[in-house]
Amino acid sequence: MKNPLRKRFKRDLKSNKGRYFAILLMMTVTIAIMSGFLAVADGAQKVLNENRADCKLEDGSFTAVKKISTAAQAETEKLGVSVYENDYVNEKLPDEATLRIYQDREQINLVTVIDGKSPVNKNEIAVDRLFAESYGLEVGESLTINEVPMIITGLISVPDYSALFKNNSDLMMDSFHFGVGIVSAGVLQSFPANEIVMDYSYYFDNRDLTEKEKRNLSTDIKDKLVDNGAILTSFVTAENNQSISFIDDDMGSDVPMMKVFLSLIILIMAFVFSIVITSTIETEAPIIGTLLASGYTKYELIRHYITMPIAVTLVSAMIGNIIGYTMMPDFFKGMYYGSYSLPPMDIELNMEALLLTTVLPIAMMIGINFVALYRKLSISPLNFLRKELKKSKNRRAVKLPNVSFFNRFRLRVIIQNKKSYITLFVGIFLASFILMFGLVITPMISHYVDSIKQSAVSDYQYILKGPVEPENPGNAEKMTFSALETYYSPAGKNIEVSFFGLREDSDYFDDLPISDDEKGGYLSDGLAKKLGAKPGDTLDFVNPYTDKEYSIKVIGITDYPGALTVFMSQKQLNELLDRDSSYFNGYFSDQELTFTDKNSLATVITPEDMSKFGDQMLSSFKQMAPLCLFAAIVIYLVLMVVLTKLVIDKNALSISFLKVFGYETSEIRKIYLKATTLVVLGSLLLCLPLVNLGIQGCFLIVQMKLSGYLPVYIPMYLYAEIVAIGMASYFVINFIHMRRINKIQLSAALKNRE
């Protein structure tokens, strides 16, 4: 004989189709986003690891002032490492772009051709796929390199530039203004000798080294090179090379965040279902009492009431996974391929994603609802028949303030439905946080770029390879520059810090009380915040090329958002670096300087360079805003539909009585809908400080991936936008509920009364 309770499923689904559809929609969207993202992230990581192994990705690299000797290379290779020449030139293109050109690799960091073919002739070149797309280059076009027109034969990716960082100290990758190109053998030698950078890659012979052993061996390699006369200008391991490791760090934080996001949504929906089921049990209390008295067991009823949440979750998981594997991959692929230089990937079934999007939601739904049902159905059949479902019958009513009748009624409605409203508050907070994350990126980056331009002390900063006088010194001011490293514990690695040695009477930093007699330095506010340093602290730094250690006392903090920087007296910095007191290797200038020997110039920095950073950051995050807006509105709408409808259904009898007593429909709306309106508005306002804290905490994680410091900036108008979008979503639901109240009949007050 079939269980007669099964007949109730169809009736329940028909009478509550709006509620179940809303929950189904929210869970389907969440699961689709999660399964699509995890599938793409897994595919990207898989193809990245395979490509790195197949293309023999370097374990580290270094550059030298001149070609290292054969003896130095031989002595270094005795440590169990292979050293390969990997020279390049930086060629300037229009629009302030730089193309780093290598010779076609045959032994290390092998090239993957994505479209077209590798260059063969001397007038051919292949360029990085991401740079080509950003810069607007296509296969077959001509590109002038070293005053020679060259045909682009192919679009490529190289494993040592999965993220396009021109300098390892850059805050962000820049595919708009920096790219990598490959030319055929012998072409590189046609460039001026002083433009060729002596770059080398090393590769461990033993591929089973632990991370600690790799770090120790890299240190031994650097020491061996220096001991054998190599003059290094940079030395970086693959682990600390942002061009290699940035994507690993990015996925290492994005994937856990998405998993937490999914878990929170499912958890909220499980609680929503438990509230819905609890309300249903209260409504059907006499029926449940009759069933229990007729011989139905508690577990049979639990199985009955828990079936619908499981069915909705299962259907959501099925539809969500289908959408996630068919429609969402293109979106998330666009995000990854728009930010990183990756070889083509294939999307495969991800077992972890299947567990997280199917097994976990069902398990959470069963667990939370079983606990709620077990507690509720522990009441005796007689109490169910009497509708005595509260554990304590003699609880005192909450004393309400002496306000108008309507306001006291609203307060009573809020108190009676506090569980629904608390869940609604949690959902509003989560939706507001997601929405704020999507909205804040653009103004935050724009504000950061503007602050750098406004606080720029000079139009040009010149970093030289040694003391060189310009042809047109003008008002240029000499300074000493050095790059040292300090340990950043949250990321578990060293970060680069720029040291500027300034004149005591500096015209460009007249607000800094620099003194030749005072030991220590002034930290930029970004560096102080990143390290948690304050005046009086002592910080430890190390020269990455000589391993010499330094201790610097923090004299003060200064506003300088351009970089992670320490400002010192030039005399003190020269003394610290064992330089002559008159040594300098840079200039601050408000005019462009010219040098007889262009090879003496290491780099030039202008405030406009930061606009490149802003372009790249905005490009990387531009697809996040619509996704966050869509997810937030879905959460707003679904939770408001389900939970506010629950309040009205729960009070349908009271609404009917009010109609019998002569209250107008408009007055009843003011009682019930205004109570919910106040809760929604109050929730939106109360969650704003929590959203602010959440964004601050989220960007603490983001700061771990960045070499610089990106201050959190949330303009006030965004808070207004959050409230406006939340209330607009609510008023859509409010309109639906007005019609629902109108449909409640007066006759309901006369039915089923004891």
Side-chain angles (χ1 to χ4, degrees):
M1 177 180 175
K2 292 184 178 180
N3 188 343
L5 289 177
R6 294 180 184 176
K7 296 181 179 180
R8 296 176 56 84
F9 289 138
K10 186 176 181 180
R11 185 169 57 193
D12 180 33
L13 191 61
K14 184 177 180 180
S15 59
N16 294 292
K17 56 182 179 295
R19 173 193 299 169
Y20 289 130
F21 176 77
I23 295 174
L24 180 75
L25 174 65
M26 182 171 174
M27 294 185 67
T28 299
V29 169
T30 303
I31 290 172
I33 292 174
M34 177 55 63
S35 61
F37 174 80
L38 289 179
V40 171
D42 180 67
Q45 190 66 68
K46 183 177 180 180
V47 74
L48 192 65
N49 292 337
E50 291 176 350
N51 183 258
R52 287 173 173 177
D54 296 340
C55 296
K56 200 175 179 180
L57 173 66
E58 67 186 31
D59 291 306
S61 63
F62 58 90
T63 57
V65 173
K66 60 181 180 179
K67 187 175 181 179
I68 65 173
S69 65
T70 304
Q73 181 170 340
E75 287 296 318
T76 303
E77 290 184 337
K78 289 180 181 179
L79 296 173
V81 62
S82 299
V83 179
Y84 303 95
E85 291 187 20
N86 202 18
D87 299 344
Y88 64 83
V89 294
N90 288 321
E91 184 70 15
K92 289 292 183 181
L93 301 179
D95 300 327
E96 299 298 320
T98 299
L99 186 63
R100 183 164 294 170
I101 302 173
Y102 289 87
Q103 187 167 287
D104 198 2
R105 286 93 173 271
E106 297 179 354
Q107 296 175 304
I108 193 76
N109 300 328
L110 306 181
V111 174
T112 300
V113 178
I114 298 173
D115 186 21
K117 62 180 182 177
S118 296
V120 177
N121 300 317
K122 62 180 181 180
N123 64 334
E124 294 180 341
I125 187 171
V127 296
D128 179 85
R129 187 269 317 165
L130 179 58
F131 174 72
E133 291 179 0
S134 302
Y135 197 70
L137 300 175
E138 296 181 357
V139 174
E141 288 187 356
S142 178
L143 188 63
T144 301
I145 303 293
N146 193 25
E147 300 181 355
V148 176
M150 304 187 77
I151 302 300
I152 300 174
T153 61
L155 304 182
I156 61 170
S157 71
V158 286
D160 52 327
Y161 283 96
S162 56
L164 294 176
F165 282 87
K166 181 180 179 181
N167 302 302
N168 200 46
S169 59
D170 289 347
L171 183 63
M172 191 66 183
M173 54 207 172
D174 184 8
S175 64
F176 289 95
H177 304 92
F178 175 71
V180 176
I182 301 294
V183 294
S184 58
V187 175
L188 203 65
Q189 281 65 43
S190 64
F191 287 82
N194 61 1
E195 294 183 8
I196 299 177
V197 178
M198 302 300 172
D199 187 53
Y200 296 84
S201 299
Y202 63 84
Y203 190 80
F204 299 138
D205 296 337
N206 183 359
R207 305 312 299 167
D208 297 322
L209 296 176
T210 64
E211 293 301 319
K212 183 178 181 180
E213 289 172 337
K214 289 179 181 178
R215 297 189 191 104
N216 292 338
L217 183 52
S218 294
T219 302
D220 293 340
I221 292 169
K222 179 174 60 178
D223 294 340
K224 183 65 70 174
L225 288 166
V226 173
D227 292 342
N228 283 271
I231 305 175
L232 304 181
T233 55
S234 72
F235 188 99
V236 60
T237 64
E239 179 185 23
N240 293 327
N241 188 342
Q242 291 207 91
S243 295
I244 296 173
S245 63
F246 191 87
I247 186 173
D248 297 309
D249 296 337
D250 191 22
M251 287 193 290
S253 59
D254 287 350
V255 173
M257 287 176 64
M258 288 294 285
K259 291 178 181 178
V260 170
F261 166 72
L262 170 71
S263 300
L264 285 175
I265 295 292
I266 300 301
L267 190 63
I268 290 173
M269 297 316 299
F271 276 111
V272 168
F273 257 124
S274 69
I275 293 171
V276 169
I277 290 172
T278 300
S279 177
T280 302
I281 289 174
E282 291 174 356
T283 303
E284 299 180 352
I287 299 173
I288 294 172
T290 302
L291 292 171
L292 289 171
S294 301
Y296 279 90
T297 66
K298 177 170 63 176
Y299 292 102
E300 286 178 310
L301 293 179
I302 289 176
R303 187 166 59 249
H304 168 73
Y305 282 106
I306 210 172
T307 298
M308 193 58 73
I310 294 175
V312 172
T313 305
L314 186 58
V315 173
S316 301
M318 292 173 60
I319 299 174
N321 275 290
I322 292 172
I323 296 174
Y325 280 96
T326 56
M327 299 173 61
M328 297 305 295
D330 288 340
F331 175 81
F332 288 113
K333 272 186 179 181
M335 291 181 62
Y336 274 109
Y337 280 102
S339 300
Y340 300 108
S341 184
L342 297 171
M345 74 170 78
D346 295 321
I347 301 300
E348 300 176 355
L349 181 64
N350 187 325
M351 291 307 298
E352 182 186 18
L354 190 62
L355 290 172
L356 289 172
T357 58
T358 305
V359 178
L360 177 64
I362 292 175
M364 292 175 67
M365 202 65 69
I366 291 174
I368 292 174
N369 284 284
F370 179 85
V371 172
L373 286 167
Y374 186 87
R375 294 178 59 187
K376 204 69 178 176
L377 292 174
S378 296
I379 301 171
S380 67
L382 184 59
N383 285 342
F384 269 112
L385 291 170
R386 294 175 175 175
K387 285 196 170 184
E388 296 175 354
L389 307 182
K390 303 294 182 181
K391 289 187 176 181
S392 177
K393 295 184 294 182
N394 299 318
R395 287 190 306 173
R396 292 184 178 181
V398 177
K399 187 175 181 180
L400 300 177
N402 188 21
V403 292
S404 67
F405 170 75
F406 279 111
N407 286 332
R408 276 182 288 154
F409 206 134
R410 293 188 193 105
L411 286 173
R412 184 69 68 190
V413 170
I414 292 172
I415 293 170
Q416 289 176 342
N417 298 277
K418 57 182 179 294
K419 290 183 180 179
S420 297
Y421 287 139
I422 290 172
T423 305
L424 182 61
F425 171 80
V426 174
I428 286 175
F429 162 70
L430 182 61
S432 299
F433 172 77
I434 295 171
L435 183 58
M436 178 65 84
F437 187 83
L439 295 176
V440 79
I441 295 296
T442 299
M444 184 184 298
I445 295 171
S446 299
H447 177 264
Y448 179 61
V449 173
D450 291 342
S451 66
I452 288 175
K453 291 181 178 180
Q454 292 171 6
S455 63
V457 296
S458 64
D459 293 334
Y460 297 90
Q461 291 180 20
Y462 289 89
I463 309 300
L464 308 172
K465 296 179 181 178
V468 179
E469 297 287 347
E471 295 179 342
N472 55 332
N475 65 345
E477 181 177 296
K478 295 177 181 178
M479 55 88 168
T480 300
F481 172 84
S482 182
L484 303 178
E485 293 183 352
T486 188
Y487 185 70
Y488 181 47
S489 55
K493 64 179 182 180
N494 285 354
I495 57 173
E496 186 175 293
V497 177
S498 298
F499 276 70
F500 286 101
L502 310 176
R503 284 183 354 196
E504 198 173 31
D505 57 344
S506 173
D507 294 329
Y508 291 93
F509 291 86
D510 52 4
D511 58 332
L512 277 181
I514 296 292
S515 172
D516 288 342
D517 299 325
E518 189 173 17
K519 293 185 180 295
Y522 292 85
L523 271 61
S524 63
D525 52 350
L527 178 61
K529 291 174 181 176
K530 196 174 184 81
L531 299 180
K534 58 185 182 297
D537 290 349
T538 299
L539 301 178
D540 296 324
F541 295 89
V542 62
N543 187 318
Y545 312 124
T546 64
D547 289 334
K548 187 173 181 179
E549 298 180 352
Y550 309 92
S551 293
I552 306 296
K553 180 183 177 182
V554 181
I555 301 174
I557 312 296
T558 185
D559 181 22
Y560 187 79
L564 303 180
T565 312
V566 175
F567 298 99
M568 300 177 65
S569 156
Q570 188 174 20
K571 177 184 176 182
Q572 293 289 345
L573 182 57
N574 285 341
E575 182 180 328
L576 188 75
L577 301 174
D578 295 327
R579 299 286 189 178
D580 185 82
S581 60
S582 61
Y583 176 84
F584 70 94
N585 64 343
Y587 287 94
F588 293 109
S589 176
D590 285 332
Q591 67 178 25
E592 187 174 1
L593 303 180
T594 56
F595 296 88
T596 304
D597 182 8
K598 294 183 179 180
N599 193 42
S600 64
L601 186 61
T603 185
V604 182
I605 303 171
T606 66
E608 286 71 25
D609 290 335
M610 290 312 300
S611 63
K612 302 176 184 179
F613 157 77
D615 293 341
Q616 181 63 51
M617 286 285 282
L618 292 175
S619 174
S620 298
F621 287 102
K622 67 180 179 181
Q623 297 183 71
M624 289 296 295
L627 179 64
C628 291
L629 178 62
F630 174 72
I633 290 178
V634 168
I635 295 173
Y636 280 141
L637 291 176
V638 169
L639 289 179
M640 289 174 186
V641 164
V642 175
L643 296 176
T644 55
K645 177 182 180 297
L646 196 64
V647 173
I648 294 175
D649 290 347
K650 187 176 180 179
N651 292 276
L653 187 61
S654 299
I655 292 171
S656 179
F657 270 119
L658 289 174
K659 287 186 176 183
V660 170
F661 292 150
Y663 282 92
E664 298 291 336
T665 303
S666 59
E667 293 176 307
I668 297 173
R669 290 175 188 165
K670 288 181 181 179
I671 294 175
Y672 288 96
L673 295 185
K674 191 172 182 179
T676 302
T677 303
L678 292 173
V679 170
V680 171
L681 180 60
S683 297
L684 285 166
L685 295 175
L686 286 174
C687 77
L688 292 179
L690 298 178
V691 167
N692 183 287
L693 290 175
I695 293 294
Q696 298 278 354
C698 185
F699 274 89
L700 281 177
I701 300 174
V702 174
Q703 301 296 352
M704 293 171 59
K705 300 186 292 182
L706 299 178
S707 294
Y709 183 82
L710 180 65
V712 177
Y713 170 74
I714 306 177
M716 292 303 297
Y717 70 84
L718 288 186
Y719 294 109
E721 283 188 21
I722 297 292
V723 175
I725 293 173
M727 290 305 297
S729 302
Y730 167 71
F731 284 127
V732 172
I733 305 305
N734 194 55
F735 176 76
I736 298 173
H737 289 331
M738 287 181 183
R739 298 177 59 189
R740 188 176 301 278
I741 289 177
N742 292 339
K743 290 181 180 180
I744 296 177
Q745 301 295 323
L746 283 73
S747 57
L750 306 176
K751 294 180 180 179
N752 299 319
R753 304 307 302 157
E754 294 178 359

